[in-house]
Amino acid sequence: MATIIVDGKSYDVTDGQNLLHACLSAGLDLPYFCWHPAMGSVGACRQCAIIQYQDEDDSQGRLTMACMTPVRDGLRISLDASNAVEFRKSVIEWLMLNHPHDCPVCEEGGECHLQDMTVMTGHTFRRYAGNKRTFNNQYLGPFINHEMNRCITCYRCVRYYHDYAGGEDLQAFGSRDRMYFGRATDGVLESEFAGNLVEVCPTGVFTDKPFSASYTRKWDLQSAPSICGSCAVGCNILPGERYGRLKRVHNRYHGELNGYFLCDRGRFGADFVNSDRRFYQAGEKTDEGSFIALDNDGAIRRFVTALDGGDVIGIGSPRASVEANFALRALVGPDRFCNGMSTAETNLVDHALGMLRNGPARVPTLKDVEQADAVLILGEDLSNTAPRVALALRQAARNEALNMAPPAGIPTWQDAGVRGHAQDAMSPIFSATPLRTRIDDIATRALHVSCERISRLGFHIAAALNPDYPAGAELNEIDSAFVRDAAGALSAAQRPLIVSGTGAASTSVLEAAANVAWALCNAGKSAGLMLNVPEANSFGTAMLGTQPSLDDTLDMLGQGVARTVIILENDLFRRADRTRVETALRQSNTVIALDSLENETVEHADLVLPAATFAECEGTYVNYETRAQRFYQVFLPKGDVKPAWRWISDAARSAGRTDLDWDHIDDLIADCANAVDAFSGLSGAGPKAGFRGPGNTRIPRQPHRYSGRTAMNAAVNIHEPKAPRDEESPFAYSMEGANQTATAALMPYSWSPGWNSNQSVMKYQQEIGGHLHGGDPGVRLIERGATLPHMMRFSPPTADTPAHEGLLPLAVFEVFGSDELSSEAAAIAQRIPAAYVILHPEDAAALGVEADAGVRDPTSSARFAVRIDPDVQPGHVYYGSGLPGGWSNPPTTVVVLERDSEYQPPPDHNLIARS
Ligand code: SF4
Ligand code: SF4
Ligand code: FES
């Protein structure tokens, strides 16, 4: 710590930081533009000027930029000195010369850092009467609008997009006062992190295009803390609603997880909540096969009839909350509940969970991932399966540069200095994946090899680190060099990290990753083991315990062993063989589907019950690090939509099941924590409904600037209705209450006096970029596995893939298209490629096809565009998972493809080539 004196007052601040960071952490208000807490300082905008004094006798001082000046114990500075104040005012005056002053029609207005800084500096009068320079705007794709005239040339966008996120297609063009920030030509921004520009740009140059299309002023959004459900990372989000429509998603700061940034699947994928395929009323299928609507009571009566006499099987889902899965399990009994994942997926997820639970490795947060100084990636294409992890790894690659800076006298926050000094120096990252990935550019070495070779590499690296670990089959020269160099880098590291997951669909890849991490632990290293799993609540569902697999369950249903099957938020046709699913559903007297969107399983149901989405109810997901995180209802759903657990509880109550008579989600959570050991800490994921903020008030979902509450309903009734009461959470459906509680994890939006933009999040942090006041959200259910000394290890597989006719399928993933729900979002749909297969050149030649030709599966309606890649293992076919027009469910055995001479890519065929 150091003590600095600011305008005569002493503040204890973190030593080694810059003065802007220190002043903001101390709660002082100082304007800035180019500095960003995640990107450091470049001193470009000159907005953070202060006066620095030599000592207490110095009354003159000198002007300096706070963001470029290191903290020193005893340093005396002034933010209020008149020459500093005048300087900052003049800086904003020149930054605003060309600004269009179009706040009333600007989407950023009211939540704009430029507006805030203009007010803060006191620039209130425009003297410049000349012409403003103007630019043409660009088409940047379905996610981002461009309005270049609003630019103030702070360079944050390119620093974020290029330097932080590794994107190549957004640059700064021009010179002097004609700087242009955009692409060389119009076109879709390629990075899957482009959406963060909306929050990074301090003015309205880059704005959220889907939000613009159905715009509402930002202070009129109703919001609640939530969790992204589009992958297993569990980024914290702030969804905003108005008029019953989910309008946008903003980042919700989490000090250990997503920090300041989301990926575009998370930001734009939540729009599935507004999909035309939503249904809002229960329906019962008639003998003719169409649905007739049922009201709530009718639906419950029908549900109870289906429960009568027992013989009920429940199929859960890794995309449903812990609470919904537990409620179904409690209704049907643990022996008749299946987690809804395929057998293969269940095995992988259970295996990964066991490794975290029983092994000695650290389970890393994303902050830990960013701090790793050597990384080994085995089998996982993170940019497509867990994008935010890929962004964190990109920061880990910079640790070498950050380490080189202090010996050269460069503070680590001085971004340009660090980059200039380090040039291309990067921390060692070794990656072995089936295909090229979008983070190969940060890898010291990247191999694209079969899953068998990937696991072999891992087992050999573990053996190189500790000879007690079995190595397995001999390696070729290339692989031996990879093993030697990777083992050397990992053993030299202080914070080594092993990253893998279920993406390669291989238990031996997972086991190889675990062996490497554990061999490092045995050598006394604090090794991290990050294992990605397929969905938002894969671990949460697996933690409910051993259950019959989906395949076994479908077979049981096919044999007519159950009268009724209840399917929870799960399109079984995406997970299991079509014939098997059809037989199972046909043989069940009553199929009940609880879901939010129409899908094939819903179409096959006899009774359909409308379930709330994540934005319309409370619930918990367990992420890749086993962090249980609570999401809260953002708005009341339309029609008869209610949480899936509530449908189950209401039906159970009507059927006389007093054990499932949960009045509130808190009761359900308490039962779950009691019934399942793994969830004993579940209530720690969020406070109970009775939690109250300062003055015993609820936390308002609406900011105090919220307007038009009466007018919103004027078409119905000019009297303002009473705000609905929320019995399930500490939040209010109004602006009454305390919007800044000691528990920042509960903030439904961020705002602070004078700080209307997302920059206000600093007021919720213990220190800039650090933890939130009251701690970061969520509770880790597994903190660390077994303690050292430890000698766990797996043995390498002995058999190679047997000879086979046809092609062995392997799913590869797309950030846009492979996830079920986000693919329903209108903007995401524009980025989904048509179904494709990737073939080795020899296999393509054998089929008589070239790149961009078509192939089809004669046993199904699946048709694919052909891509050819020598990295594909001969005898295999890699296919884009979940893409429209392709296989709806993953094929599990060899497939035979044939040339499709009539293949035409769909008209909206959108291919930003897989790297
Ligand atoms: S576009 Fe935005 S982020 Fe980029 S330089 Fe201009 S004002 Fe700064
Ligand atoms: S990384 Fe995953 S959890 Fe985070 S925003 Fe993207 S899809 Fe959502
Ligand atoms: S914030 Fe300090 S110069 Fe821009």
Side-chain angles (χ1 to χ4, degrees), residues 719-738:
H719 297 290
E720 185 172 301
K722 189 169 183 288
R725 207 175 155 73
D726 184 354
E727 303 294 349
E728 304 294 338
S729 84
F731 298 97
Y733 286 105
S734 70
M735 61 269 244
E736 290 95 21

Side-chain angles (χ1 to χ4, degrees), residues 20 32-35 43-48 65 67:
L20 177 59
Y32 62 87
F33 285 115
C34 63
W35 172 84
C45 72
R46 321 312 279 171
Q47 187 60 71
C48 64
M65 296 308 126
C67 72

Side-chain angles (χ1 to χ4, degrees), residues 193 227-237 258 261-267 366 385-389 815 819:
F193 302 106
I227 305 297
C228 176
S230 291
C231 86
V233 178
C235 294
N236 286 212
I237 56 171
N258 48 296
F261 304 119
L262 300 174
C263 82
D264 289 355
R265 183 197 275 181
R267 184 180 296 273
L366 284 191
T385 59
R388 190 61 187 79
V389 180
V815 60
D819 170 60

Side-chain angles (χ1 to χ4, degrees), residues 78-152:
S78 172
L79 313 190
D80 295 342
S82 59
N83 43 353
V85 170
E86 281 308 309
F87 185 87
R88 296 197 297 261
K89 199 166 159 183
S90 64
V91 167
I92 208 143
E93 184 172 18
W94 82 57
L95 288 177
M96 295 286 277
L97 283 189
N98 289 299
H99 191 75
H101 290 77
D102 59 342
C103 302
V105 296
C106 174
E107 289 104 322
E108 194 79 352
E111 203 183 60
C112 174
H113 186 58
L114 178 60
Q115 278 183 333
D116 288 349
M117 298 301 98
T118 306
V119 173
M120 195 177 286
T121 51
H123 167 62
T124 52
F125 182 73
R126 181 174 175 77
R127 292 182 293 174
Y128 176 68
N131 286 338
K132 298 176 184 180
R133 56 112 175 86
T134 54
F135 292 111
N136 289 332
N137 300 317
Q138 290 185 318
Y139 168 77
L140 297 176
F143 298 156
I144 306 286
N145 278 328
H146 196 215
E147 176 46 74
M148 249 312 288
N149 293 329
R150 297 178 183 140
C151 178
I152 55 159

